[in-house]
Amino acid sequence: MTALPQAPVCELDIAYEGLAPTATADFHRDGFVHLSGVLSAETIAEYEPTITSEVIRLNTQHLPLAERDTYGKAFLQVTNLWRESKKVKRLVFSRRLAGIAATLLGVHAVRLYHDQALYKEPGGGITPWHADQYYWPLSSDRCLTIWLPLQKTPLDMGPLAYARSSHNFSHGRDLPISDESEARLKEALAEQDFEDVVEPFALGDAGFHRGWTFHHAGPNHGTMPRRVMTVIYMDADIRVAEPTNRQRAADRGFMPDTEIGHVPRTPLNPVLYDARTT
């Protein structure tokens, strides 16, 4: 009997083998990690056009750069592309990416919180110092953001940069991303001698950072948009916390129909990786 042809194995379904044995401990110490070869050039080439076309279609920021505030100059931001495109959903729900997240966080399983495309236009300004978890009404710090550039990102395009071990620094956690967060955190982090780790990203590289890791990015001096896809993963057992600011109250919308103190087991927050079932 002639064997049926096997379907090609998708890279997104294959475990990433580039993590060091100390990866979980290193991530706990530093608050971030910059990984090489997370995705191949071929996979990025397959998904980038769809992500970019969705950003163009769904973008609501149409003011000229000169007329925007600092936040508006930092990037075009489009959220939850996975709900708009089956193709993007394939990437966001990737076992490869979610598996890295679970390993780094030291948890058995992770859920999706949401995704965001962040496109820094040519001439786009700085991304001010901030911590993502200021916005997240979650009960623990077992959550992270993957920062996945969709092109090679040299220093002049404004790659994401991290203050090493700053997730242990409680000062400035009350600051939304703004001119104030840029000024106050830049000064405070320098006074405490936190290393500002600024590195270019090769095609296929990705950064992972904890919710309370302070980070920023420079302006885009290049001639092309700095195209980035981000996905926020969280411990599958995390619970919704009482919002402590209006931004966290708004982010409750990413976990609809989940009461405070409960795990967000909703169709919008599926478990994407569980080591117990692999």
Side-chain angles (χ1 to χ4, degrees):
M1 179 181 293
T2 303
L4 294 175
Q6 296 294 312
V9 178
C10 177
E11 179 180 58
L12 297 177
D13 295 326
I14 302 172
Y16 175 70
E17 297 182 351
L19 288 176
T22 59
T24 303
D26 294 343
F27 189 68
H28 180 72
R29 179 194 64 220
D30 293 337
F32 76 96
V33 65
H34 178 158
L35 299 177
S36 299
V38 171
L39 295 180
S40 67
E42 292 76 16
T43 296
I44 293 175
E46 180 181 353
Y47 285 87
E48 180 276 325
T50 300
I51 296 170
T52 296
S53 66
E54 288 299 297
V55 169
I56 293 171
R57 182 175 72 89
L58 298 169
N59 169 54
T60 59
Q61 173 61 271
H62 302 296
L63 286 175
L65 272 170
E67 297 180 19
R68 303 179 202 170
D69 61 13
T70 299
Y71 190 97
K73 291 175 181 176
F75 40 65
L76 303 177
Q77 181 177 13
V78 182
T79 301
N80 271 343
L81 290 182
W82 76 265
R83 299 178 66 183
E84 303 290 336
S85 164
K86 291 182 179 179
K87 183 93 171 184
V88 178
K89 180 179 179 179
R90 183 77 179 84
L91 178 67
V92 171
F93 281 45
S94 161
R95 288 179 56 79
R96 185 180 185 90
L97 301 182
I100 298 172
T103 300
L104 293 175
L105 289 172
V107 299
H108 65 79
V110 291
R111 293 181 187 277
L112 175 67
Y113 188 17
H114 62 281
D115 70 56
Q116 292 181 330
L118 302 175
Y119 276 43
K120 191 182 290 286
E121 300 154 278
I126 66 166
T127 304
W129 279 106
H130 67 287
D132 296 343
Q133 199 154 348
Y134 168 86
Y135 295 90
W136 302 343
L138 301 174
S139 62
S140 83
D141 64 352
R142 295 295 181 94
C143 44
L144 60 72
T145 300
I146 173 176
W147 194 84
L148 178 65
L150 302 175
Q151 73 290 304
K152 181 172 69 173
T153 310
L155 295 180
D156 68 351
M157 289 187 75
L160 201 64
Y162 311 93
R164 192 186 302 277
S165 300
S166 61
H167 59 299
N168 298 315
F169 188 47
S170 60
H171 177 83
R173 290 186 175 186
D174 59 338
L175 296 172
I177 184 171
S178 61
D179 292 325
E180 182 183 7
S181 72
E182 171 68 12
R184 287 178 54 185
L185 286 168
K186 183 177 182 179
E187 179 180 9
L189 293 167
E191 286 178 348
Q192 297 297 317
D193 292 325
F194 286 104
E195 180 186 2
D196 184 10
V197 183
V198 187
E199 299 174 332
F201 280 67
L203 185 66
D205 287 6
F208 291 73
H209 63 271
R210 299 182 74 101
W212 282 120
T213 300
F214 289 109
H215 56 283
H216 70 127
N220 182 4
H221 294 303
T223 59
M224 299 292 291
R226 188 210 68 182
R227 297 157 293 169
V228 172
M229 188 64 185
T230 71
V231 187
I232 297 89
Y233 299 105
M234 55 188 178
D235 177 6
D237 295 325
I238 211 164
R239 296 173 184 271
V240 178
E242 183 74 47
T244 55
N245 56 49
R246 62 182 179 83
Q247 290 89 347
R248 285 188 171 188
D251 261 26
R252 284 289 310 279
F254 294 128
M255 301 173 289
D257 306 319
T258 302
E259 296 181 2
I260 292 169
H262 290 252
V263 175
R265 297 185 178 93
T266 79
L268 297 183
N269 308 113
V271 172
L272 301 183
Y273 174 86
D274 191 332
R276 298 169 300 184
T277 63
T278 58

